[in-house]
Amino acid sequence: MVSVRKSHQMSAANFEQWLGSLELESDKKNALEALYQQVHHLFDDTSSCQAKSLEMVEILAALNLDTDSLCAAFVCPLYESEIISLEYIAEHFSQQIYLLCKGVGQMEAIKALQQSQASHVSSNQIDNIRRMLLAMVEDVRAVVIKLAERLCHLRLVKNSDEETRVLAAKETSNIYAPLANRLGIGQLKWELEDLSFRYLHPDVYKKIAKQLDEKRLDRERYMADFVKNISEQLQAAGIKGTVVGRPKHIYSIWKKMQQKSLDFEQLFDVRAVRIIVDELQGCYGALGLVHTSWKHLPKEFDDYVATPKANGYQSIHTVVIGPEGKAIEVQIRTQQMHDDAELGVAAHWRYKEGSTSGKSSGFDEKVSWLRKILQWQEDVSESGELLDELRSQVFEDRIYVFTPKGDVVDLPTGATPLDFAYYIHSNVGHSCIGAKVFGRIVPFTHTLQTGDKVEILRSKKLNPSRDWLNPSLNYLHTPRARAKVQHFFRLLDRDKNLAAGKEMLEAALAKLQLSLAKVDLSAAIERFNFTTKDDLFAAIGSGNTRLLQVVHCIQQQEISAKPEVEIDPQSLVRQPQQADSQAGDNNGITVSGVGNLLTHMAKCCQPVPGDEISGFITQGRGISVHRLDCEQLANALEQQPEREVEVQWGGENNKSYQVSINIIGGDRQGLLRDISTIISNDRVSIIGIESNTDHVKQSMSMTIKIEISNNQALTRLLAKLKQLDDVVEAKRL
């Protein structure tokens, strides 16, 4: 039955009298009294805001919650009524009170769970629900405060119109009562259910209440004799414990009538007693006494001590045929089990006020609460658009893991320890050398699960591996972590690109008889939108900025800076030119000491201008030109070193050379298009493409044969290809 709260009979004038009736510890009383003095002027005497504050404190005091929870409950109705804001709470009250009020406010997202099947579910609703769930796991006290608030709301709408009562009752029966059940708070669960049932089915409620009241006197007389009998037997057997009549809740009676298709007179547990013993052994000792004294019904026996319910409920239930052939339900449990059943998580959640300890002593409890909340989501959700969105966006594609301190981290399903490390901080990921899950070392490819406790092992140096970017190796799952690794290597490669770009520009200017140290780079820096010359060098080295364009810009700057001089007409007369002995043959190759020899480019290493080369005299095919690092050239010279001949690249020529490049990356749609676009933008011709795809590992390997003018152009092209998303490696074969 629904109980009556003292707060309905209290007013601001007798606050101290009401506070004394709660029988609280002195520190809780002092905190509440000081809080009342601070906020009493904010209450409107004509409203129910103050009554609600008092009632919420009274409910939570019965659950033995801590000082911060009671103070937050006192302030919450003011925040809910928009009399004060979160900013006001943060400024005038403690951090704990602020966080609890904020958590209670976040639970407003719970209303999205009641959306109808045809309603549209926005992404904001899903995000709000996710934040609400995380807040519920972070601090379960906010959940208990919210349940108390809903119970007060139900009581306050007692005299409202029918529509208001029905809406409040539906919300409570669909959402909050299942939540209280999952968290094992029976003391609130029964009252929420009875009040909701009273508003939704008033006629049935009154009928059952009348039947209970009509038989109350006879039942009380009968039960008093039965309780006395059991108490005497327990005392004789040396079992310490108490026996009390168990209150019956109208909703539970109606539910059992519906489930078992029984009439009121056929119910076994209208007459019910509860035996509470001191020790676990006493449960089964008391059970033996009850079954020895009266015949029991085997089908009605349940041992929830050996097999607890999903919400942690433990008790032994049995039904016996007592005196006069009447059925009586008997529940047997320890005092600890009784506290758990009545208070649920509130029986375990003990806060040390002012504690800032980072110890993970409450970690196991947090994991347990998380699982209960996820199970509650299954209880309250029905088929419809919201359930699909909730499962796909909040649960199925999300996992909730814990840091060693017990903080909750929200990650996508499939996340690895490296993803977790990069979520905490970039430097944590960069310095990660190992990971532990529940204290056991796991590989970087380990897939994390909801409820895992993850600890990252770190080194003093930042040393990520390029292998982490290889999608086929499954080190990283989240784009966020992958982007952080890519950014690290971009910064790392900057020094190499800077040195290479400076060297390339210096060589190009030397051909124009210009010195890099003496030319003015300001025009080029401004032209290509850089801030420093180092940025310019790095862009040239990475291939993001074309060397020839920079050289042309510098050349134009030098020409415009030179003073005008008188031109000698004789200098315009073209002089006869001598033949250039270094012009080279059709392949652009000159052979030292020998002229007009047939040469060809070796297919094994495919040299291009800019490569260091050497020649090998073949039989009947002239001179084969190889790169100096070619393995086939080295093998041939081991056997016939006398066939080596010195060759050089000749003067400028417009010939293109065939080169094969290999690209390894992830298998994504549009990657081939992006690669071909970069190649064509560099005015490089594609001769052929071979591609292999591994759908299991979601990776691909591509070999492209191209025609290119020189080594510098090839270096720029490869640098640009490496910058593409999902490209792990681009190299020359």
Side-chain angles (χ1 to χ4, degrees):
M1 300 289 288
V2 177
S3 61
V4 178
R5 300 290 180 187
K6 301 183 186 70
S7 57
H8 285 276
Q9 304 162 359
M10 298 296 162
S11 63
N14 52 11
F15 176 81
E16 291 185 4
Q17 180 183 351
W18 168 83
L19 189 60
S21 69
L22 297 182
E23 300 181 357
L24 296 172
E25 294 89 339
S26 58
D27 56 341
K28 295 181 180 179
K29 282 186 178 180
N30 294 336
L32 286 171
E33 190 169 3
L35 182 64
Y36 179 76
Q37 296 299 326
Q38 188 176 357
V39 302
H40 73 90
H41 66 282
L42 299 173
F43 289 113
D44 183 358
D45 292 336
T46 60
S47 72
S48 59
C49 187
Q50 179 173 287
K52 190 172 184 178
S53 291
L54 297 175
E55 186 171 356
M56 286 177 62
V57 172
E58 190 173 311
I59 294 171
L60 298 179
L63 295 176
N64 197 25
L65 258 69
D66 63 305
T67 304
D68 287 331
S69 300
L70 298 180
C71 292
F74 196 84
V75 172
C76 269
L78 291 169
Y79 170 50
E80 182 189 31
S81 302
E82 298 183 354
I83 298 175
I84 59 176
S85 64
L86 271 180
E87 290 75 16
Y88 182 93
I89 297 174
E91 181 180 353
H92 292 83
F93 306 111
S94 69
Q95 178 73 3
Q96 282 293 318
I97 294 177
Y98 165 76
L99 292 175
L100 285 171
C101 290
K102 182 180 178 182
V104 174
Q106 284 177 328
M107 288 191 65
E108 283 300 306
I110 211 170
K111 293 182 179 179
L113 292 170
Q114 283 192 294
Q115 295 294 318
S116 65
Q117 204 165 4
S119 64
H120 174 69
V121 183
S122 68
S123 59
N124 287 336
Q125 284 177 315
I126 299 300
D127 288 339
N128 288 338
I129 293 171
R130 180 181 291 122
R131 286 194 294 270
M132 175 201 72
L133 292 173
L134 288 174
M136 289 165 70
V137 177
E138 283 287 359
D139 200 333
V140 76
R141 296 178 297 177
V143 184
V144 182
I145 294 173
K146 184 65 177 180
L147 291 174
E149 185 273 328
R150 286 293 88 187
L151 179 55
C152 292
H153 180 68
L154 275 182
R155 295 186 63 83
L156 288 173
V157 300
K158 177 181 179 181
N159 298 321
S160 301
D161 58 272
E162 183 179 358
E163 182 180 359
T164 302
R165 293 198 306 270
V166 170
L167 287 176
K170 281 185 177 180
E171 181 184 42
T172 300
S173 61
N174 291 338
I175 304 295
Y176 295 102
L179 178 56
N181 178 52
R182 277 295 176 185
L183 298 180
I185 312 178
Q187 192 166 322
L188 296 183
K189 168 184 175 288
W190 294 118
E191 198 159 357
L192 289 169
E193 288 178 339
D194 271 12
L195 280 171
S196 299
F197 181 64
R198 179 177 183 177
Y199 296 154
L200 293 174
H201 306 282
D203 295 337
V204 180
Y205 179 92
K206 291 177 182 177
K207 180 180 179 181
I208 296 176
K210 185 178 180 181
Q211 288 175 313
L212 282 172
D213 190 58
E214 286 176 351
K215 300 176 182 294
R216 181 171 57 84
L217 293 177
D218 292 338
R219 188 169 61 252
E220 286 179 354
R221 189 181 304 109
Y222 180 89
M223 291 305 300
D225 295 337
F226 188 81
V227 167
K228 182 180 179 181
N229 190 336
I230 295 181
S231 299
E232 291 174 351
Q233 290 193 47
L234 290 177
Q235 187 175 3
I239 300 174
K240 294 181 179 180
T242 57
V243 185
V244 293
R246 182 169 69 88
K248 286 305 299 177
H249 298 277
I250 294 178
Y251 176 77
S252 66
I253 292 175
W254 174 79
K255 191 174 181 181
K256 186 163 290 187
M257 291 169 61
Q258 296 296 312
Q259 290 175 344
K260 299 189 176 183
S261 300
L262 299 175
D263 293 330
F264 180 84
E265 291 75 12
Q266 296 174 295
L267 294 176
F268 294 133
D269 56 352
V270 173
R271 292 169 291 272
V273 298
R274 181 176 290 144
I275 303 173
I276 302 175
V277 297
D278 292 346
E279 299 178 350
L280 178 62
Q281 295 87 337
C283 291
Y284 294 97
L287 177 66
L289 288 177
V290 172
H291 281 185
T292 302
S293 303
W294 297 283
K295 180 181 178 181
H296 74 283
L297 303 181
K299 292 184 179 180
E300 300 297 326
F301 177 78
D302 293 295
D303 186 355
Y304 296 119
V305 173
T307 308
K309 289 185 177 182
N311 62 0
Y313 175 85
Q314 287 184 292
S315 183
I316 296 175
H317 293 192
T318 187
V319 175
V320 297
I321 305 301
E324 303 177 18
K326 295 180 178 179
I328 304 172
E329 184 191 59
V330 181
Q331 292 184 358
I332 308 171
R333 61 179 66 158
T334 65
Q335 184 63 48
Q336 181 63 52
M337 294 175 190
H338 179 69
D339 291 342
D340 291 348
E342 293 299 305
L343 307 181
V345 294
H348 301 288
W349 192 271
R350 294 290 181 265
Y351 283 86
K352 294 180 181 178
E353 297 183 29
S355 173
T356 57
S357 171
K359 296 181 180 179
S360 56
S361 58
F363 170 75
D364 292 335
E365 287 83 354
K366 279 194 175 185
V367 175
S368 175
W369 297 328
L370 174 61
R371 289 174 180 154
K372 289 174 182 176
I373 288 171
L374 296 182
Q375 291 167 345
W376 159 75
Q377 176 267 331
E378 295 292 338
D379 290 344
V380 302
S381 297
E382 299 176 355
S383 61
E385 182 183 349
L386 177 66
L387 178 57
D388 295 337
E389 291 291 325
L390 198 61
R391 284 177 174 166
S392 64
Q393 295 190 35
V394 178
F395 295 101
E396 284 192 358
D397 72 337
R398 309 301 298 180
I399 59 172
Y400 301 90
V401 297
F402 295 91
T403 67
K405 292 183 178 180
D407 296 326
V408 183
V409 174
D410 176 12
L411 293 171
T413 298
T416 65
L418 278 175
D419 292 310
F420 173 87
Y422 278 106
Y423 182 93
I424 300 301
H425 196 276
S426 297
N427 287 344
V428 175
H430 293 335
S431 61
C432 179
I433 57 173
K436 291 182 179 181
V437 174
F438 292 115
R440 299 181 64 181
I441 296 289
V442 296
F444 284 156
T445 56
H446 176 79
T447 301
L448 298 177
Q449 303 294 329
T450 290
D452 282 350
K453 177 184 178 183
V454 186
E455 179 184 357
I456 299 299
L457 307 178
R458 302 176 59 188
S459 68
K460 294 182 180 179
K461 297 181 179 180
L462 305 181
N463 191 29
S465 171
R466 292 185 186 273
D467 289 340
W468 295 356
L469 294 173
N470 189 337
S472 63
L473 297 179
N474 300 319
Y475 286 118
L476 295 171
H477 177 75
T478 61
R480 172 179 176 174
R482 189 180 301 277
K484 289 186 176 183
V485 178
Q486 289 172 339
H487 178 69
F488 177 87
F489 284 113
R490 286 195 191 102
L491 295 179
L492 187 67
D493 292 339
R494 173 180 167 83
D495 293 338
K496 297 179 182 179
N497 292 334
L498 192 152
K502 184 176 181 180
E503 184 178 348
M504 291 166 61
L505 183 57
E506 196 167 20
L509 292 176
K511 292 180 181 180
L512 300 174
Q513 298 181 345
L514 295 174
S515 172
L516 179 60
K518 296 181 179 180
V519 298
D520 184 8
L521 298 178
S522 59
I525 292 173
E526 183 179 356
R527 162 72 175 78
F528 295 101
N529 297 319
F530 295 115
T531 55
T532 65
K533 62 182 180 180
D534 286 349
D535 294 337
L536 177 64
F537 296 152
I540 295 172
S542 65
N544 291 332
T545 301
R546 293 191 179 188
L547 175 62
L548 293 178
Q549 290 180 343
V550 176
V551 170
H552 179 71
C553 180
I554 295 173
Q555 193 175 20
Q556 294 297 320
Q557 172 71 9
E558 289 296 313
I559 292 173
S560 62
K562 286 183 178 180
E564 295 185 2
V565 295
E566 293 185 3
I567 300 175
D568 183 3
Q570 292 295 327
S571 65
L572 300 177
V573 178
R574 182 174 181 180
Q575 301 297 325
Q577 296 182 350
Q578 296 180 354
D580 187 358
S581 61
Q582 298 297 320
D585 62 4
N586 291 335
N587 289 317
I589 299 295
T590 61
V591 183
S592 298
V594 183
N596 198 27
L597 287 180
L598 175 65
T599 64
H600 67 272
M601 298 295 141
K603 294 183 178 180
C604 54
C605 56
Q606 297 177 318
V608 297
D611 291 336
E612 294 183 356
I613 55 176
S614 182
F616 184 82
I617 301 174
T618 65
Q619 294 181 355
R621 294 187 297 115
I623 296 175
S624 177
V625 181
H626 295 257
R627 297 200 328 243
L628 276 181
D629 58 355
C630 178
E631 292 182 2
Q632 291 195 20
L633 175 63
N635 293 334
L637 292 178
E638 282 183 5
Q639 300 176 11
Q640 297 173 311
E642 70 277 5
R643 289 178 177 267
E644 185 178 15
V645 62
E646 184 179 352
V647 296
Q648 300 90 23
W649 295 106
E652 294 185 7
N653 65 84
N654 297 322
K655 181 175 174 60
S656 296
Y657 299 83
Q658 292 187 8
V659 175
S660 294
I661 60 175
N662 180 248
I663 300 173
I664 298 175
D667 180 23
R668 70 166 170 85
Q669 189 175 8
L671 181 58
L672 178 58
R673 180 198 63 219
D674 295 344
I675 292 172
S676 60
T677 299
I678 288 179
I679 294 175
S680 63
N681 287 343
D682 271 18
R683 298 182 180 179
V684 176
S685 299
I686 299 176
I687 300 175
I689 298 178
E690 292 182 6
S691 178
N692 293 315
T693 302
D694 189 338
H695 294 292
V696 176
K697 295 182 178 181
Q698 294 185 339
S699 63
M700 72 87 198
S701 176
M702 188 183 301
T703 300
I704 305 177
K705 184 178 289 187
I706 59 175
E707 283 189 348
I708 202 154
S709 59
N710 55 56
N711 188 28
Q712 292 179 352
L714 178 60
T715 302
R716 289 196 303 271
L717 177 62
L718 292 176
K720 291 181 180 179
L721 292 174
K722 289 177 182 177
Q723 300 298 320
L724 278 176
D725 291 338
D726 294 316
V727 170
V728 177
E729 186 179 43
K731 65 181 181 179
R732 175 183 179 181
L733 294 178

